[in-house]
Amino acid sequence: MARKVFFSFHYDNDVWRAMNVRNSWVTKPDTESAGYIDHADFEKILRQGEQAVKRWIDDQLFGSSVTIVLLGAETLQRPFVKYELEKSYARGNAIIGIFVNKLKNAAGETSSACSIYGCPVGKNASGDVVNFSSFPIYDWVDNNGYTNLGSWVELAINTQKR
């Protein structure tokens, strides 16, 4: 079954890494992706202000069933990533974290990994805060993301029913 996946990441630091992951995803059968925009288009939206970026994020999340957060050095500290996580959780998307810090960027460099702890994404039905660290976290390099991404998506959809 085709899945519409929203990719969340820190644009300035990890767009090259995100393109590698996203491109591996869209070459597989029965997949559909969202959440990627090229630099010029992103800069144009960003110049229109915070609300324009949030509208674009909301539009991209529409129809998605999974949000994949591509984790680099500062990802979970970024305000738009936090917004994407909160909106994803509120709309019932399955959420997955994937460390991409070991992938090289355009300059051939890797980065450090951010902490997955202390990043709230919303509240559950009991009113308890749900943190990002409660979702499945993988490593693109160590866990063979190219081969396993599809199974991670299906597992998340089947186990994260709220």
Side-chain angles (χ1 to χ4, degrees):
M1 171 186 238
R3 302 291 184 191
K4 184 174 179 188
V5 174
F6 179 84
F7 290 93
S8 176
F9 55 94
H10 178 191
Y11 192 89
D12 289 338
N13 282 1
D14 298 316
V15 67
W16 186 267
R17 294 175 183 102
M19 285 189 324
N20 283 299
V21 172
R22 182 187 173 274
N23 288 339
S24 76
W25 171 253
V26 297
T27 61
K28 308 269 174 130
D30 297 328
T31 61
E32 188 179 340
S33 67
Y36 175 76
I37 188 169
D38 77 24
H39 186 71
D41 290 338
F42 183 74
E43 290 297 322
K44 183 178 175 183
I45 294 168
L46 194 56
R47 281 193 300 272
Q48 295 172 25
E50 181 179 331
Q51 291 307 313
V53 175
K54 287 181 175 180
R55 276 192 304 278
W56 178 84
I57 290 167
D58 294 342
D59 289 345
Q60 295 301 304
L61 280 168
F62 181 78
S64 65
S65 54
V66 179
T67 297
I68 297 176
V69 184
L70 302 175
L71 301 163
E74 301 171 3
T75 307
L76 295 177
Q77 299 167 13
R78 307 306 302 164
F80 290 127
V81 170
K82 289 179 180 184
Y83 179 81
E84 291 162 351
L85 278 168
E86 290 167 3
K87 288 295 192 171
S88 294
Y89 184 78
R91 68 182 321 276
N93 277 21
I95 297 173
I96 302 169
I98 301 175
F99 283 108
V100 294
N101 58 295
K102 294 177 187 171
L103 285 173
K104 293 180 180 175
N105 64 12
E109 304 163 330
T110 59
S111 72
S112 59
C114 66
S115 172
I116 60 168
Y117 302 101
C119 180
V121 298
K123 292 187 178 184
N124 63 20
S126 303
D128 298 322
V129 173
V130 176
N131 284 299
F132 180 74
S133 58
S134 65
F135 295 100
I137 309 293
Y138 303 97
D139 184 288
W140 183 259
V141 173
D142 293 345
N143 301 129
N144 193 5
Y146 181 81
T147 299
N148 293 316
L149 183 58
S151 61
W152 297 342
V153 166
E154 291 304 315
L155 181 62
I157 287 172
N158 292 323
T159 60
Q160 291 184 39
K161 300 191 190 305
R162 295 190 289 277

